[in-house]
Every structure is written in structure tokens, then in C-alpha cells.
Amino acid sequence: MERKSGVLMHISTLWGDYSCGSFGKAANEFVDFLSDCGFTYWQVLPFCPADDYNSPYKSYSTFAGNPYFVDLEQLLQEGLIFENELTTAKQNTPYLCEFERLREERLELLFKASQRVKNAEEIEKFISGSPYILDFCEFMALKTANGQKPWWEWDCDKTDETILFGWKFVQFKFFEQWSKIKAYANQKGIKIIGDIPFYVAMDSSDVRKNTDQFMIDEKNIPYAVAGVPPDYFCEDGQLWGNPLYNWEEMRKTGYRWWSDRMSAMLKLFDGVRVDHFRAIESFWSVPYGEETARNGKWVKGPGMELISKIKELAKNKLIIAEDLGDITDEVNALVDESGFPGMRVVQFGFLGGESTHKPHNYKNNCVAYSGTHDNNTLLGYLWELSEDLRREMLEYCGYTDNDWNKGFDSMLRTLWQSAAGLVIVPIQDLLGYGADTRLNTPGRADGNWQFRITRDQLEKIDKEKFRRLNSLYYR
């Protein structure tokens, strides 16, 4: 891999005035910031609509876009919303995503805008040429018609045409606005890495339209569901509850659904991180109805058959294999055979003893992170370490002074110095922020995904420091 660096930040974290980061001018300003610092990559999290707990890893569609990312100011400029409506939509705080308010107000405003368009034919043409997006729009309209019940409980098959077109409009604007941002980023030399959740939600257009591709019975009840086994972080494991793929049926179609999914992601991004990559080798199958993930078992996945399809589609685009968690020799062998770079997270390197996550063990074909969206911030992690482990980590990074709060830059420098082809740092670690800005804590239902930054905070980052790191270590 060519030596490069980048920043991890979800779109929702961007600054702005309307309760959530969006595809507005802040996105272009962030691209300018990355370019000024000498970064090459912007890694984002899944673009699909989030669930009731605000997580984008469990969505009504893996193909659709999050309506909250549609920029309102552009709609104002196009005459689709009015000044008083924009004023009413202004946020109460710039520091957190106001998800409850968004759920109550944003779709209503976007649907009003949809009734003022003069290019309905263009919108219909776009949607008809995107079958999975059309499936999603129909799914959401039917969900409204059925009182928001899950699809297997529906008894009404008629949609409100106004609501259906509202969803079509939202998706059209989502992809239209994003395409402009990506074009601007590429023009500035910035590449975008997307993120593809491995599993999809049971209550989704994906499963409803493709039931034969999932392990569910004729009554639409899963035989087993997804999760991960007990580990160092969670004694009961994690019971995700997603339906498992019917890999035998997928094989018969040449993995068509997965190929369509990867093709869609590769059109949106310059590279993709495949979440929970280890499940391609073996996945944890938990009998339906279990209350924890303890009583699951490992079942063989599709292996190189699926990976070969992904490689064929990706061509020269970057595919990152998220090979974290309960990793075996078989998983390591599959990652090596795929040729995809795996992930290394420096926080995992100092849990005691030797580790592949310690920077001296990084190889060129890997992506090294100070932390991911599921980790504490690097400073928060340092604060919570025992005194012995904290001293060991700081000494490892070349910092031996007594005031360990000043050792933060040494940890970042150690990542930049490493052999890893690509280094990615969450925006919180660029800012040097603590645990109160953590984006997500796995296993905790509330309080996640809310963190946002302001323009003032971004402007306080020492761009010269990162320009120098990128220059000094040839990134």
C-alpha cells in the first residue's frame, strides 16, 4: 500500500445549524481542511437510515440514504422550502445530534418540499432506474400505511402516493447532493471510504424483498440470528438479532444480492470497509429466542467465493477487511488470501503482553487506527488505563515525563511512524478530546451517535502539526 493518512468522521458529526450534520457547505469545508492538513482519506460510517437507537448498522435498507443528511439550505436555494420553515428547523444546540426532534419534524418538512418540485419526471426516472431504492420507498410508504408495524405483520398493501413520492424525493436529493460532495473531494485529492454493515435488519426492505436469501422459515421467523460470542469485553457476547444469510441460496444466484450491494457502495465511495469481515470465514449463529449470544456456534461462511466477487467488482478500489474480535488462524489466512488490508487498533495493543495491534508488528498492508467508532477516544482510553499499562504505553511511544497528559502527541506520532500503509484517526483524536465525546459504546442502548463538532473547534486544530507529520513520514 502507498503510505497515506486520513480521518474518520460520520456525516452526522459535521457542524451546521439544523440538528445533524448534512451534505451542506460544512462537508466541503471539511474536505478543504483535510486537504490543508495533507490527509488523503475521509472515512465515513454507513449512509443508510439509522434505527430507533440512531445506529446506522441496523437499517430499513442497506441501499438507501439517511434523510437527515439532506441539506436544507440547498432546498431553500431551490425554492423547495421557505425561509420561515428553515428558521423553524434551526437547532437548539450545536454540540449534539437532536435525534428526537429530527424524528418528529424533519420528514414532514422534506415531504412538504417534495410537493413543490417541478422535476417529478426526473425523480421518477432516477428511482425507476434504482430498483433497491424503489423497494425502500415502497417499503417505507407501506410501513406508514400499516401503522409502523414490522413488514411480516402488514395487512394493508395500498400506499399513500404523496408519502411514496416524498420518499422518492428524499432519496433523489440524498444521492444528488452526495455526488457533488464526492466530486469536490476527489477534485481536491481526497478519497472517501464508505462502510458496509455485514448484516441487515430483519425489518427491512432487503429481507422483505429477498426472503429466500435469508435463514427464515415460511412464517418469516428466523431459524437463527447473528451475534458474537463472549469475549474480553462482554461475558454474554453480543446478540445482534439480525437474520443470517442463506449462503447456499446466495451461491445459486452467483451472490447476486451481495454483488448488487457492493456495486452500489463502490459507486458512492472510493473504497469500502467491510464490517465484521470475519463472518465471511465463519459466523456466530445463535438459535432464535435465546436471550444472550452464549449458546451460539460457529458456522462456515462463503469464504473466497464471495471475496472473489468483491474483488472483481472493486477492481483497484480499496477494500478494508474489519478483522477485529474473535479472530482465528483461519480468519487470518482468509484475510491474507484476499489481499485486502486488515485493521490494527492501537488501543487493543496494550491490554497486556505481545499483540499484533502494537505498532512494531504492523505490516504495510494494513490500516492502523487510534480507535474506531466503537472505541473510547484515545485520550479517554489513556485516562482509563491502569497506571502500569499507561506508563508502558507512553514509554513505548517514547514519552517518559511525569505529566502523562502531554504524551498524547507521542502516541499519534507512533502511528504515523509505523509501517502501516494507511493511518486513520477519528476526528475526536485530532481534537485531543476525552471519553465524553465517544461516538458509540457497544451494548449500550442510549446516548450513542450524538457527538458533533463546531467549526470553531475544527479551526483550533493545528493543521501545521498534521501537515508536518504527513510530510515527515511520507504520508
Side-chain angles (χ1 to χ4, degrees), residues 221-226 239 241-242 285-293 295:
I221 297 173
Y223 294 109
V225 295
L239 184 63
N242 310 74
S285 173
V286 184
Y288 182 73
E290 289 285 334
E291 294 184 0
T292 74
N295 295 323

Side-chain angles (χ1 to χ4, degrees), residues 241-287:
N242 310 74
L244 299 170
Y245 296 112
N246 187 335
W247 290 117
E248 185 176 338
E249 287 299 317
M250 287 196 161
R251 186 176 293 112
K252 291 176 184 176
T253 68
Y255 300 98
R256 185 186 64 245
W257 183 87
W258 259 95
S259 295
D260 290 346
R261 190 184 190 199
M262 286 302 304
S263 295
M265 294 300 103
L266 290 164
K267 285 179 183 176
L268 284 178
F269 306 112
D270 301 299
V272 177
R273 186 194 84 123
V274 180
D275 187 51
H276 198 49
F277 187 87
R278 72 101 56 239
I280 297 178
E281 192 283 321
S282 293
F283 55 92
W284 190 246
S285 173
V286 184

Side-chain angles (χ1 to χ4, degrees), residues 151-192:
W151 62 263
W152 53 91
E153 294 180 8
W154 291 354
D155 52 23
C156 174
D157 61 0
K158 293 182 179 180
T159 61
D160 182 315
E161 289 303 310
T162 301
I163 291 175
L164 178 57
F165 185 76
W167 278 109
K168 291 177 179 179
F169 165 79
V170 168
Q171 292 304 301
F172 176 82
K173 281 298 174 187
F174 177 96
F175 291 103
E176 179 187 61
Q177 291 184 358
W178 172 247
S179 67
K180 294 175 183 176
I181 292 168
K182 183 178 179 297
Y184 181 76
N186 291 167
Q187 177 191 334
K188 296 281 289 190
I190 302 300
K191 296 179 179 180
I192 314 288

